[in-house]
Structures are given as structure tokens and as C-alpha cells.
Amino acid sequence: MVTVGVEEEYLLLDADTGVPVARAEQVRRAADLQPEIDRSEVQRELLQAQLEIATPVCETLDEVGAHLERLRGALAAAAAEHGCRLAACGAAPFADRLSVPVSDTPRYRTLRATAPRLTDEQLITGMHVHVGVPDRDAGVAVLNGLRRWLPLIVGLSANSPLWNGVDTGFADWRTVVFSRWPVTGVPPLFDGADDYDKRIRTLVDTGLIGDTGQLYWQARLSERYPTVETRAMDVQLRVDEAVMLAGLVRAVVTTLRTDPDRAAAPPAPHPEELAAAVWYAARHGCTERLYDPFTGTLDSPPTVVDRVLDALGPALRDAGDTATVESGLSRFLTEGNGAVRQRRALRRDGRTGLVDLITDVTAGTRSGEPDGEPAP
């Protein structure tokens, strides 16, 4: 079985106002006291209003879901002890000020000194999916094929339409904010693992970036684990949405390894095409057209999803993930992704209703919107 693991980043919002609050250390210490959490599963993030969790290595999507529910529930309880709420939204919807102190580590202090304004505006949170690969050469081959899938993944996972109290007009504002760092977006093509390692070493050795952790491509090789790490996704409101995306990414990686022509037939798309497709996906999410990884064109979401499920069918069946991924994608098409549902909650229930929706769904005390209102 091809293994999978998920990292999720969360915001901490004030319980009354919904603005980010710098209470990560207090919440982390409170979570460490809970028996259902191993302290290694919760890490600091760049800003003191953020926390990150990492699941153990999993073989099934049921395992992924169980770990995410456990970790979200425990962190939400710890946050409540300190007057704040855990929020799985890709960008802070409201902020009295954009500046939140960085976490007190040498690396994060250096980042703040290097790029103060960019660091201050990193009130954004993502989801990373790690899929096991046998070696770095296999991982680079997967990266090269995965490039054409990234616009689709961005569009499906969009969950950050609001920023500092304003509707940005984008479904995924996190991608726009994040794109201002030096090494971001769709990774380039690489000629094997040696080429990959030489090029990232050059970036570090010349001082252009501080370390390999600043390789902010939407997919990269992990430097700690034998995995390909897909980083293109906003953190998801619901656990089942995160699980579905983890299954989708695993199926893409598996198909690229076992039947690459099925998932990424040549020729490779040009860099400018993929960059524009990612921008389009961040702008529109999955409410307009989606970028088709097979044809390189924009098409209706149902058409693209049908083609994707057909191509990934063998990998999904072998992993036992077909029902989970199919039902999750169907729900996105009928009810909308996180961006659609955030906008709908704000329009219907105002600021308080939106914050309640985000934080209640994150904590698992509410499964979603009661009326199942369809996507526009």
C-alpha cells in the first residue's frame, strides 16, 4: 500500500471578535497535557496565531480521517481554555491588524528580519499531503508529472476568499499571498534527482534562500521523509474534505508511478501555461471552469471530474478509495468548496455566523451548513 500523511495548519481566532490572536504557545502547552496528543504531532508555525499538526504515516484514508478528527478536537479544546477558537480556513477572514508576532525561533526571527512585510501578512494556512515514494529519482519523476495537476488541486481546495474583512474576489487568496516569496508556484521540470539536488543546493549555497524549507513550490520532495509533498491546497473546513483530497493526491502519485502516460501524457505543459492556470484556479475555484490536466484546456467542472475519475480509477480501486473520492468530489460540485461556503455563510449570517461556521466545523461540533444549499 502506498502510504500517505497529512499536515494541516490552523489559525487561532479570538472567541469574541474572530481576529487572529497570538496564543499558540499557550494552546500548544495545553494540548501537550491531553493524553490523546503526542507533543511531536503539534508544531509551531511562523506566526504566533498559527499551529501545525502532522498525522502519523497512514495506509488508509480512514486512518487519516481518524487522526485529523482526534488532533482537531484536542487542539480546539485546548484553544477554548485560552479564550480562542481553532480555525481551518486558508486565510484569516478578519483582522484588526495584520501584524502578529513571529514564533520565537531563530529561523522565524531571521525570516521576519529578511522580509518583514511578507512575514506579517502570512496569516494563511495550508494543507500538505505526503505520499510515499521508493527513492528520490522516483520522486522527481512524480514531481514532473504532478505539475499539470496542480491547477486542478488549487481550484478544488480553495478555501480563502476573505482577507482583512474584505472579499478578495479570489476563491484562494492564500495562493496569491504565498506567491510573493522567491521560490513558489509550480516547480520546474527536473532531469532526475541529481539535477533536483544540485539546483536546490545552489539556491541555498548562494544565499538566495536561507534553507530548503524555503522551497515553497506547490509540490516538492520532502527533505525529512521518502515522500513527495503536495502543498498546493488551502487547509479544508471539514475533515472529510481533507481526506478526499489526500485520496485524490495519492491516486495521482500512484498513477504517475505505475502508468505515467495515463496521468501525464506528453508533451509537458509550458511553465507560463501552468502559472496562468494556477492563477485562474485561485481566482475562480471550482465555480467556473477547471483546468483539465489531460487536455490543457478549461472545461466544465463535471466534465473534468469525470475524466479525472476515469484516469485515476485503477489507483483509487486498488487503495479502496473510490467511494471516498467520488463522493467528496460530487459534494464539491453540488454544494461548493470551502470558498463558496464561506461566502455563503457571510452573506446569510454575517461576520459572527461565518466565524461560528468555520470554528464549529473545524472542531467537529458541526458538520456543515444545515440547509445543504447548492453551489451557485
Side-chain angles (χ1 to χ4, degrees), residues 39-58:
R39 67 181 307 161
S40 66
E41 294 176 309
V42 183
Q43 293 93 36
R44 294 182 179 94
E45 250 299 325
L46 174 60
L47 298 178
Q48 292 182 31
Q50 300 165 315
L51 286 169
E52 181 180 37
I53 62 91
T55 72
V57 177
C58 300

PDB file of all heavy atoms in Angstrom, residues 39-58:
ATOM      1  N   ARG A  39       3.117  15.132  21.837  1.00  0.00           N
ATOM      2  CA  ARG A  39       3.590  16.507  21.632  1.00  0.00           C
ATOM      3  C   ARG A  39       4.312  16.671  20.299  1.00  0.00           C
ATOM      4  O   ARG A  39       4.374  17.777  19.768  1.00  0.00           O
ATOM      5  CB  ARG A  39       4.466  16.957  22.791  1.00  0.00           C
ATOM      6  CG  ARG A  39       5.788  16.244  22.947  1.00  0.00           C
ATOM      7  CD  ARG A  39       6.534  16.770  24.150  1.00  0.00           C
ATOM      8  NE  ARG A  39       6.658  18.219  24.092  1.00  0.00           N
ATOM      9  CZ  ARG A  39       6.922  18.975  25.163  1.00  0.00           C
ATOM     10  NH1 ARG A  39       7.062  18.430  26.336  1.00  0.00           N
ATOM     11  NH2 ARG A  39       7.042  20.281  25.033  1.00  0.00           N
ATOM     12  N   SER A  40       4.851  15.574  19.738  1.00  0.00           N
ATOM     13  CA  SER A  40       5.528  15.675  18.446  1.00  0.00           C
ATOM     14  C   SER A  40       4.548  15.924  17.304  1.00  0.00           C
ATOM     15  O   SER A  40       4.967  16.299  16.196  1.00  0.00           O
ATOM     16  CB  SER A  40       6.320  14.401  18.158  1.00  0.00           C
ATOM     17  OG  SER A  40       5.446  13.292  17.995  1.00  0.00           O
ATOM     18  N   GLU A  41       3.243  15.725  17.541  1.00  0.00           N
ATOM     19  CA  GLU A  41       2.251  15.897  16.482  1.00  0.00           C
ATOM     20  C   GLU A  41       1.839  17.354  16.281  1.00  0.00           C
ATOM     21  O   GLU A  41       1.178  17.679  15.297  1.00  0.00           O
ATOM     22  CB  GLU A  41       1.006  15.067  16.799  1.00  0.00           C
ATOM     23  CG  GLU A  41       1.243  13.560  16.791  1.00  0.00           C
ATOM     24  CD  GLU A  41       0.016  12.787  17.190  1.00  0.00           C
ATOM     25  OE1 GLU A  41      -0.581  13.101  18.248  1.00  0.00           O
ATOM     26  OE2 GLU A  41      -0.361  11.852  16.454  1.00  0.00           O
ATOM     27  N   VAL A  42       2.194  18.238  17.184  1.00  0.00           N
ATOM     28  CA  VAL A  42       1.814  19.652  17.108  1.00  0.00           C
ATOM     29  C   VAL A  42       3.075  20.495  17.077  1.00  0.00           C
ATOM     30  O   VAL A  42       3.935  20.375  17.955  1.00  0.00           O
ATOM     31  CB  VAL A  42       0.935  20.065  18.307  1.00  0.00           C
ATOM     32  CG1 VAL A  42       0.501  21.520  18.168  1.00  0.00           C
ATOM     33  CG2 VAL A  42      -0.273  19.150  18.428  1.00  0.00           C
ATOM     34  N   GLN A  43       3.197  21.334  16.051  1.00  0.00           N
ATOM     35  CA  GLN A  43       4.400  22.147  15.899  1.00  0.00           C
ATOM     36  C   GLN A  43       4.057  23.638  15.834  1.00  0.00           C
ATOM     37  O   GLN A  43       2.951  24.020  15.477  1.00  0.00           O
ATOM     38  CB  GLN A  43       5.150  21.767  14.608  1.00  0.00           C
ATOM     39  CG  GLN A  43       5.751  20.374  14.599  1.00  0.00           C
ATOM     40  CD  GLN A  43       4.820  19.347  13.983  1.00  0.00           C
ATOM     41  OE1 GLN A  43       4.101  19.640  13.041  1.00  0.00           O
ATOM     42  NE2 GLN A  43       4.823  18.139  14.529  1.00  0.00           N
ATOM     43  N   ARG A  44       5.058  24.442  16.168  1.00  0.00           N
ATOM     44  CA  ARG A  44       4.945  25.883  15.941  1.00  0.00           C
ATOM     45  C   ARG A  44       4.835  26.152  14.447  1.00  0.00           C
ATOM     46  O   ARG A  44       5.309  25.380  13.625  1.00  0.00           O
ATOM     47  CB  ARG A  44       6.178  26.622  16.459  1.00  0.00           C
ATOM     48  CG  ARG A  44       6.376  26.592  17.951  1.00  0.00           C
ATOM     49  CD  ARG A  44       7.624  27.414  18.272  1.00  0.00           C
ATOM     50  NE  ARG A  44       7.889  27.456  19.713  1.00  0.00           N
ATOM     51  CZ  ARG A  44       8.704  26.608  20.333  1.00  0.00           C
ATOM     52  NH1 ARG A  44       9.319  25.658  19.643  1.00  0.00           N
ATOM     53  NH2 ARG A  44       8.895  26.712  21.640  1.00  0.00           N
ATOM     54  N   GLU A  45       4.247  27.285  14.123  1.00  0.00           N
ATOM     55  CA  GLU A  45       4.286  27.789  12.760  1.00  0.00           C
ATOM     56  C   GLU A  45       4.915  29.184  12.796  1.00  0.00           C
ATOM     57  O   GLU A  45       5.312  29.674  13.845  1.00  0.00           O
ATOM     58  CB  GLU A  45       2.879  27.822  12.144  1.00  0.00           C
ATOM     59  CG  GLU A  45       2.659  26.776  11.044  1.00  0.00           C
ATOM     60  CD  GLU A  45       3.610  26.965   9.872  1.00  0.00           C
ATOM     61  OE1 GLU A  45       3.946  28.122   9.536  1.00  0.00           O
ATOM     62  OE2 GLU A  45       4.037  25.949   9.309  1.00  0.00           O
ATOM     63  N   LEU A  46       4.963  29.819  11.624  1.00  0.00           N
ATOM     64  CA  LEU A  46       5.676  31.085  11.501  1.00  0.00           C
ATOM     65  C   LEU A  46       5.174  32.130  12.488  1.00  0.00           C
ATOM     66  O   LEU A  46       5.957  32.792  13.172  1.00  0.00           O
ATOM     67  CB  LEU A  46       5.548  31.597  10.066  1.00  0.00           C
ATOM     68  CG  LEU A  46       6.114  32.976   9.761  1.00  0.00           C
ATOM     69  CD1 LEU A  46       7.616  33.021  10.048  1.00  0.00           C
ATOM     70  CD2 LEU A  46       5.830  33.363   8.316  1.00  0.00           C
ATOM     71  N   LEU A  47       3.848  32.310  12.564  1.00  0.00           N
ATOM     72  CA  LEU A  47       3.272  33.345  13.413  1.00  0.00           C
ATOM     73  C   LEU A  47       2.648  32.737  14.666  1.00  0.00           C
ATOM     74  O   LEU A  47       2.209  31.583  14.665  1.00  0.00           O
ATOM     75  CB  LEU A  47       2.222  34.138  12.631  1.00  0.00           C
ATOM     76  CG  LEU A  47       2.736  34.887  11.395  1.00  0.00           C
ATOM     77  CD1 LEU A  47       1.587  35.583  10.681  1.00  0.00           C
ATOM     78  CD2 LEU A  47       3.831  35.881  11.753  1.00  0.00           C
ATOM     79  N   GLN A  48       2.581  33.538  15.707  1.00  0.00           N
ATOM     80  CA  GLN A  48       2.077  33.047  16.985  1.00  0.00           C
ATOM     81  C   GLN A  48       0.561  32.883  17.026  1.00  0.00           C
ATOM     82  O   GLN A  48       0.002  32.509  18.062  1.00  0.00           O
ATOM     83  CB  GLN A  48       2.535  33.970  18.114  1.00  0.00           C
ATOM     84  CG  GLN A  48       4.031  33.924  18.359  1.00  0.00           C
ATOM     85  CD  GLN A  48       4.456  34.809  19.507  1.00  0.00           C
ATOM     86  OE1 GLN A  48       3.704  35.025  20.462  1.00  0.00           O
ATOM     87  NE2 GLN A  48       5.666  35.333  19.436  1.00  0.00           N
ATOM     88  N   ALA A  49      -0.102  33.130  15.904  1.00  0.00           N
ATOM     89  CA  ALA A  49      -1.539  32.847  15.789  1.00  0.00           C
ATOM     90  C   ALA A  49      -1.785  31.594  14.961  1.00  0.00           C
ATOM     91  O   ALA A  49      -2.904  31.365  14.503  1.00  0.00           O
ATOM     92  CB  ALA A  49      -2.268  34.027  15.161  1.00  0.00           C
ATOM     93  N   GLN A  50      -0.740  30.773  14.759  1.00  0.00           N
ATOM     94  CA  GLN A  50      -0.842  29.579  13.920  1.00  0.00           C
ATOM     95  C   GLN A  50      -0.259  28.369  14.639  1.00  0.00           C
ATOM     96  O   GLN A  50       0.675  28.500  15.441  1.00  0.00           O
ATOM     97  CB  GLN A  50      -0.068  29.774  12.607  1.00  0.00           C
ATOM     98  CG  GLN A  50      -0.541  30.915  11.740  1.00  0.00           C
ATOM     99  CD  GLN A  50       0.482  31.266  10.672  1.00  0.00           C
ATOM    100  OE1 GLN A  50       1.676  31.361  10.948  1.00  0.00           O
ATOM    101  NE2 GLN A  50       0.016  31.454   9.445  1.00  0.00           N
ATOM    102  N   LEU A  51      -0.812  27.210  14.322  1.00  0.00           N
ATOM    103  CA  LEU A  51      -0.256  25.928  14.756  1.00  0.00           C
ATOM    104  C   LEU A  51      -0.339  24.952  13.592  1.00  0.00           C
ATOM    105  O   LEU A  51      -1.193  25.092  12.711  1.00  0.00           O
ATOM    106  CB  LEU A  51      -1.002  25.368  15.961  1.00  0.00           C
ATOM    107  CG  LEU A  51      -0.739  26.037  17.311  1.00  0.00           C
ATOM    108  CD1 LEU A  51      -1.744  25.552  18.351  1.00  0.00           C
ATOM    109  CD2 LEU A  51       0.694  25.767  17.788  1.00  0.00           C
ATOM    110  N   GLU A  52       0.515  23.954  13.614  1.00  0.00           N
ATOM    111  CA  GLU A  52       0.514  22.930  12.578  1.00  0.00           C
ATOM    112  C   GLU A  52       0.488  21.550  13.226  1.00  0.00           C
ATOM    113  O   GLU A  52       1.135  21.324  14.253  1.00  0.00           O
ATOM    114  CB  GLU A  52       1.749  23.047  11.689  1.00  0.00           C
ATOM    115  CG  GLU A  52       1.798  22.010  10.576  1.00  0.00           C
ATOM    116  CD  GLU A  52       3.035  22.128   9.701  1.00  0.00           C
ATOM    117  OE1 GLU A  52       4.118  22.439  10.240  1.00  0.00           O
ATOM    118  OE2 GLU A  52       2.918  21.906   8.485  1.00  0.00           O
ATOM    119  N   ILE A  53      -0.261  20.643  12.628  1.00  0.00           N
ATOM    120  CA  ILE A  53      -0.268  19.252  13.090  1.00  0.00           C
ATOM    121  C   ILE A  53       0.181  18.352  11.947  1.00  0.00           C
ATOM    122  O   ILE A  53       0.108  18.724  10.773  1.00  0.00           O
ATOM    123  CB  ILE A  53      -1.657  18.809  13.599  1.00  0.00           C
ATOM    124  CG1 ILE A  53      -2.722  18.880  12.491  1.00  0.00           C
ATOM    125  CG2 ILE A  53      -2.068  19.633  14.816  1.00  0.00           C
ATOM    126  CD1 ILE A  53      -2.916  17.635  11.676  1.00  0.00           C
ATOM    127  N   ALA A  54       0.654  17.178  12.314  1.00  0.00           N
ATOM    128  CA  ALA A  54       1.056  16.184  11.324  1.00  0.00           C
ATOM    129  C   ALA A  54       0.539  14.825  11.764  1.00  0.00           C
ATOM    130  O   ALA A  54       0.776  14.397  12.901  1.00  0.00           O
ATOM    131  CB  ALA A  54       2.570  16.148  11.180  1.00  0.00           C
ATOM    132  N   THR A  55      -0.178  14.151  10.885  1.00  0.00           N
ATOM    133  CA  THR A  55      -0.642  12.807  11.202  1.00  0.00           C
ATOM    134  C   THR A  55       0.541  11.843  11.147  1.00  0.00           C
ATOM    135  O   THR A  55       1.559  12.119  10.501  1.00  0.00           O
ATOM    136  CB  THR A  55      -1.696  12.316  10.200  1.00  0.00           C
ATOM    137  OG1 THR A  55      -1.058  12.039   8.931  1.00  0.00           O
ATOM    138  CG2 THR A  55      -2.803  13.325  10.017  1.00  0.00           C
ATOM    139  N   PRO A  56       0.424  10.691  11.790  1.00  0.00           N
ATOM    140  CA  PRO A  56       1.399   9.634  11.539  1.00  0.00           C
ATOM    141  C   PRO A  56       1.283   9.139  10.096  1.00  0.00           C
ATOM    142  O   PRO A  56       0.347   9.501   9.369  1.00  0.00           O
ATOM    143  CB  PRO A  56       0.976   8.532  12.531  1.00  0.00           C
ATOM    144  CG  PRO A  56       0.105   9.203  13.537  1.00  0.00           C
ATOM    145  CD  PRO A  56      -0.565  10.332  12.813  1.00  0.00           C
ATOM    146  N   VAL A  57       2.224   8.310   9.679  1.00  0.00           N
ATOM    147  CA  VAL A  57       2.147   7.679   8.366  1.00  0.00           C
ATOM    148  C   VAL A  57       0.928   6.752   8.350  1.00  0.00           C
ATOM    149  O   VAL A  57       0.727   5.953   9.270  1.00  0.00           O
ATOM    150  CB  VAL A  57       3.428   6.878   8.070  1.00  0.00           C
ATOM    151  CG1 VAL A  57       3.311   6.162   6.732  1.00  0.00           C
ATOM    152  CG2 VAL A  57       4.635   7.799   8.085  1.00  0.00           C
ATOM    153  N   CYS A  58       0.102   6.881   7.312  1.00  0.00           N
ATOM    154  CA  CYS A  58      -1.150   6.122   7.240  1.00  0.00           C
ATOM    155  C   CYS A  58      -1.177   5.264   5.973  1.00  0.00           C
ATOM    156  O   CYS A  58      -0.578   5.617   4.953  1.00  0.00           O
ATOM    157  CB  CYS A  58      -2.350   7.082   7.212  1.00  0.00           C
ATOM    158  SG  CYS A  58      -2.483   8.165   8.653  1.00  0.00           S
TER     159      CYS A  58
END
